[in-house]
Amino acid sequence: MAKKNEKINATVNHKNGVTYYTFPLLEQYCVKHAFSTRLGGVSEGACAAMNLSFQRGDDREAVMENHRRFAEAVGYDERSLVFSDQIHETEIRVVDASDCGKGIFRESDLRGVDGLLTSDPGVVLMTFFADCVPLFFYDPIKRVVGAVHSGWRGTVKRIGAKAVEVMRREFGTNEKDLAAVIGPSICRDCYEVSEDVALEFQREFTEEQWESMHNQGPDQAGEDKFRLDLWRANEIILREAGIPEERIQVSGLCTCCNPELLFSHRATGGERGNLAGVIALGR
């Protein structure tokens, strides 16, 4: 489970054998949202049991059954889903009811999209994870939700800030109204990166910011290896985008520390299924 003294800002939910997380910041707005775990599905092997991705070599019927179970537990219609198509870039797409079913029931034209936004209450957004950072957004004034996939490449390119920019441009969002959650993903203690990745962050952030988002352990001395804090990096990005500090919540839940509960690419050497983040306005 989570490391000792680690602060967890997440609520564990159990329904019909399915376990998933929700987040207090979004719960207070009654926003329909969830982050899946490995528990409650029917997949086998490395994808056991609640794999929600069709891209991991899993049996399609098993994945469909997992979606049915997850949707029933969380309380949405899986026919309303719109999938992202993640390539670790910064493309953000606004979707509506005409996009429902893309990626699950019909072929999708949402290629190379790492972030989804909608103001349509009939749409359920879904993005996929196994260590990368989920970002959830909610604008309670303009009634807009967003789901964004932010790996290290997306983070250093500030995809979270781009999502805020698109919300401002397309919906008139005031960034000070936004609520944002940095969801379950790999923590600094587990995320070792090489010097070339570290240099990307050093170039993008101030020296003070860089110092706050990395360290080197005794085992890394002289090896040009760094432990990188993607939670802190995304928090800095969202604050600089104008979201107030008190309206940003870090889940504090590490995928790599909890491999029996959450899929982790780093913990399994890539032999794994995918978790999913889901958010919707609801009708």
Side-chain angles (χ1 to χ4, degrees):
M1 294 300 292
K3 292 185 175 180
K4 187 178 180 181
N5 298 325
E6 189 174 9
K7 184 179 180 182
I8 303 298
N9 293 305
T11 304
V12 64
N13 302 267
H14 307 281
K15 187 172 182 181
N16 300 332
V18 174
T19 299
Y20 62 93
Y21 285 99
T22 52
F23 308 104
L25 183 63
L26 297 178
E27 289 170 352
Q28 71 183 34
Y29 292 106
C30 299
V31 179
K32 182 74 68 179
H33 72 286
F35 192 82
S36 69
T37 70
R38 299 186 64 159
L39 308 181
V42 299
S43 295
E44 299 179 348
C47 289
M50 183 60 80
N51 167 49
L52 292 167
S53 172
F54 296 104
Q55 309 301 319
R56 304 305 305 173
D58 199 359
D59 177 73
R60 181 175 177 83
E61 291 306 312
V63 180
M64 289 298 294
E65 175 61 16
N66 292 343
H67 275 285
R68 187 194 68 76
R69 292 186 180 197
F70 188 57
E72 181 179 37
V74 177
Y76 63 85
D77 186 341
E78 65 266 36
R79 293 172 297 182
S80 298
L81 283 167
V82 181
F83 282 9
S84 57
D85 178 53
Q86 299 155 199
I87 59 169
H88 297 270
E89 286 295 336
T90 61
E91 182 68 21
I92 307 286
R93 193 72 61 88
V94 176
V95 297
D96 59 28
S98 67
D99 297 296
C100 286
K102 288 182 178 179
I104 179 169
F105 293 107
R106 57 189 176 119
E107 189 173 351
S108 178
D109 57 357
L110 301 172
R111 301 298 184 192
V113 174
D114 279 74
L116 298 168
L117 304 171
T118 193
S119 61
D120 192 325
V123 173
V124 181
L125 308 177
M126 181 171 277
T127 46
F128 300 92
F129 306 91
D131 282 340
C132 292
V133 180
L135 301 176
F136 298 88
F137 295 91
Y138 177 56
D139 178 347
I141 307 303
K142 299 298 183 179
R143 293 276 294 163
V144 182
V145 291
V148 171
H149 164 266
S150 185
W152 79 258
R153 291 180 179 84
T155 297
V156 81
K157 293 178 182 179
R158 297 177 179 262
I159 190 173
K162 183 169 183 182
V164 174
E165 176 188 337
V166 175
M167 293 176 83
R168 186 188 303 116
R169 183 179 69 240
E170 297 293 330
F171 303 105
T173 289
N174 183 330
E175 57 272 17
K176 290 181 172 53
D177 296 326
L178 281 172
V181 169
I182 298 169
S185 42
I186 195 165
C187 73
R188 173 162 61 181
D189 288 347
C190 293
Y191 193 42
E192 183 179 82
V193 299
S194 56
E195 187 177 24
D196 59 329
V197 174
L199 285 172
E200 295 264 4
F201 282 81
Q202 284 182 279
R203 283 192 285 263
E204 180 61 30
F205 294 90
T206 69
E207 183 177 353
E208 182 181 3
Q209 289 170 342
W210 166 243
E211 289 300 319
S212 75
M213 69 177 70
H214 89 284
N215 64 20
Q216 277 190 309
D219 58 321
Q220 297 169 310
E223 293 187 6
D224 295 325
K225 300 287 186 181
F226 302 83
R227 292 189 179 124
L228 181 62
D229 189 344
L230 293 178
W231 300 348
R232 175 64 178 150
N234 277 283
E235 186 177 20
I236 290 168
I237 289 164
L238 296 180
R239 289 182 65 181
E240 290 190 343
I243 304 177
E245 180 180 5
E246 66 273 14
R247 298 179 67 80
I248 301 170
Q249 188 169 77
V250 180
S251 74
L253 187 61
C254 176
T255 45
C256 193
C257 289
N258 299 282
E260 75 291 344
L261 180 65
L262 302 167
F263 289 117
S264 168
H265 187 86
R266 185 66 61 105
T268 62
E271 297 296 321
R272 44 80 181 177
N274 265 348
L275 306 163
V278 64
I279 189 168
L281 287 168
R283 297 187 182 277

